[in-house]
């Protein structure tokens, strides 16, 4: 799987979403980060913040493009606030055992209900 900010993987669902080939409800569209509503929401607000460049997980993004990771975190806060939430959870599932199913890094922004700990 490619791991560069310029690479786009034709088989990657989130690359296809970034390219506009798969319809989503976009809530943010920037040069480096997009955000859209999760198709299977686990909270009243459940958004995904996704870098335009293809990186398989958050550690790979941090190593390759720390500025994009910083922007992704900032956009996570921005989209939560825009939906009226000062409190939110930002989750990066990393690897199948941790629940990652799409291997193009994305932060889950979850808000609007009391969160429990530990997560399941
Ligand atoms: P993860 O399991 O952490 O890799 O998260 C992948 C997320 O992508 C899940 O929460 C899915 O519900 C979400 N998802 C999968 N396909 C789509 C889609 N077409 N549009 C929006 N969200 C999606």
């Amino acid at each position: 799987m490619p791991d560069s900010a310029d690479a786009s993987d034709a088989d990657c669902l989130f690359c296809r979403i970034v390219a506009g080939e798969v319809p989503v409800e976009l809530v943010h569209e920037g040069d480096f980060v997009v955000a859209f509503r999760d198709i299977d929401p686990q909270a009243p607000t459940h958004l995904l913040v996704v870098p335009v460049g293809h990186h398989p997980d958050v550690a790979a993004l941090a190593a390759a493009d720390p500025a994009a990771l910083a922007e992704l975190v900032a956009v996570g806060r921005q989209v939560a606030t825009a939906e009226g939430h000062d409190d939110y959870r930002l989750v990066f599932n990393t690897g199948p055992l941790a629940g990652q199913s799409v291997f193009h890094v994305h932060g889950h922004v979850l808000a609007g209900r009391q969160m429990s700990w530990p997560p399941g």
Side-chain angles (χ1 to χ4, degrees):
M1 195 170 279
D3 183 20
S4 90
D6 299 317
S8 173
D9 183 339
D11 296 328
C12 169
L13 173 61
F14 286 180
C15 284
R16 295 182 63 216
I17 287 175
V18 166
E21 295 169 8
V22 176
V24 291
E25 187 183 339
L26 279 175
V27 296
H28 174 89
E29 191 170 15
D31 288 342
F32 303 107
V33 176
V34 301
F36 52 89
R37 226 167 278 288
D38 196 291
I39 202 168
D40 181 22
Q42 303 300 312
T45 290
H46 187 172
L47 306 170
L48 299 173
V49 282
V50 177
V52 168
H54 182 96
H55 304 275
D57 60 38
V58 68
L61 177 61
D65 193 351
L69 175 57
E71 180 164 345
L72 189 147
V73 171
V75 168
R77 179 183 185 185
Q78 183 184 316
V79 294
T81 302
E83 302 233 335
H85 304 297
D86 291 331
D87 298 348
Y88 61 95
R89 186 171 282 177
L90 178 60
V91 177
F92 296 92
N93 295 329
T94 304
L97 201 59
Q100 186 176 8
S101 61
V102 177
F103 293 87
H104 178 136
V105 58
H106 49 282
H108 294 258
V109 177
L110 297 149
R113 65 168 168 81
Q114 180 64 52
M115 299 290 161
S116 58
W117 192 263

